[in-house]
Amino acid sequence: MTTPIERPPGGLQPEGHDAGAGAPRAGRRRSVARLVAVQALYQLELNRETDPEVVVREFARHRLDHEIDGDRYGEADPALFSDIVRGVAADLDRLDATISGVLTEEWPLPRFDAVLRAILRAGAYELVHRRDVPPRVSINEYTTIAHAFFSGKEPGLANGVLDKLGRTLRAAEM
């Protein structure tokens, strides 16, 4: 696996790089919420004894819609952010089993990079629990997030795994 890169490319650039002016669109707020949720899930994985509620509060207070290292990543949808983080934490074993069900024996989930696991878990959470979000939207959003962190084959892997999950869990909508 390649090493995660620090700055997100493409659609997840800092707020100052947006073409439009004014309030962030609702879709952009959801995209930022997903990106920040993946970061929070990564933090939870590295600190397994940490209460997810502590991480949600810390991110809400210090990271959502704040400038970090000179960059402002825009306003996030706090409800979606907290729903993803709390939901993945509460349903982690089931989500891991669901993801593992579409993986090969040669590539079990624990073998993946921690950031990629966070991306897959967040995407699987949306596919399982967020029926209000079309599966293709979730798959696209988390593939874009994978591109923000990886420059190798991981975005394609994330897309393939989430597409298989979408076709398995929500076939009628695909």
Side-chain angles (χ1 to χ4, degrees):
M1 297 277 158
T2 58
T3 305
I5 57 177
E6 290 187 22
R7 296 286 181 232
L12 297 173
Q13 287 295 327
E15 189 174 332
H17 294 257
D18 288 346
R25 296 185 339 243
R28 169 115 175 101
R29 291 180 69 227
R30 288 189 295 270
S31 294
V32 173
R34 289 179 176 104
L35 172 65
V36 179
V38 166
Q39 293 170 338
L41 292 170
Y42 174 76
Q43 183 173 322
L44 283 169
E45 174 144 349
L46 294 183
N47 304 293
R48 292 181 187 263
E49 63 281 342
T50 303
D51 181 352
E53 289 303 316
V54 171
V55 174
V56 167
R57 282 193 308 271
E58 186 260 323
F59 269 73
R61 254 188 247 134
H62 302 290
R63 298 187 189 193
L64 295 183
D65 198 31
H66 288 82
E67 186 173 305
I68 301 172
D69 296 330
D71 288 327
R72 184 178 207 91
Y73 284 86
E75 186 179 342
D77 179 334
L80 180 60
F81 162 76
S82 62
D83 179 59
I84 293 168
V85 175
R86 288 177 177 132
V88 169
D91 202 19
L92 185 62
D93 292 338
R94 177 178 170 209
L95 293 171
D96 282 358
T98 301
I99 296 165
S100 294
V102 300
L103 300 176
T104 65
E105 286 184 24
E106 297 81 32
W107 278 95
L109 189 58
R111 187 173 174 185
F112 292 173
D113 179 271
V115 173
L116 188 54
R117 283 194 302 271
I119 291 167
L120 293 175
R121 288 169 174 157
Y125 172 77
E126 284 199 31
L127 290 169
V128 170
H129 295 287
R130 295 294 307 242
R131 297 293 180 163
D132 60 314
V133 179
R136 291 183 192 274
V137 170
S138 294
I139 293 164
N140 184 58
E141 287 280 320
Y142 289 104
T143 299
T144 299
I145 290 170
H147 279 287
F149 288 101
F150 298 100
S151 59
K153 296 181 180 181
E154 293 85 354
L157 178 62
N159 183 61
V161 170
L162 293 173
D163 185 69
K164 273 187 180 180
L165 286 175
R167 292 179 189 287
T168 301
L169 299 168
R170 295 173 64 181
E173 297 173 73
M174 297 287 289

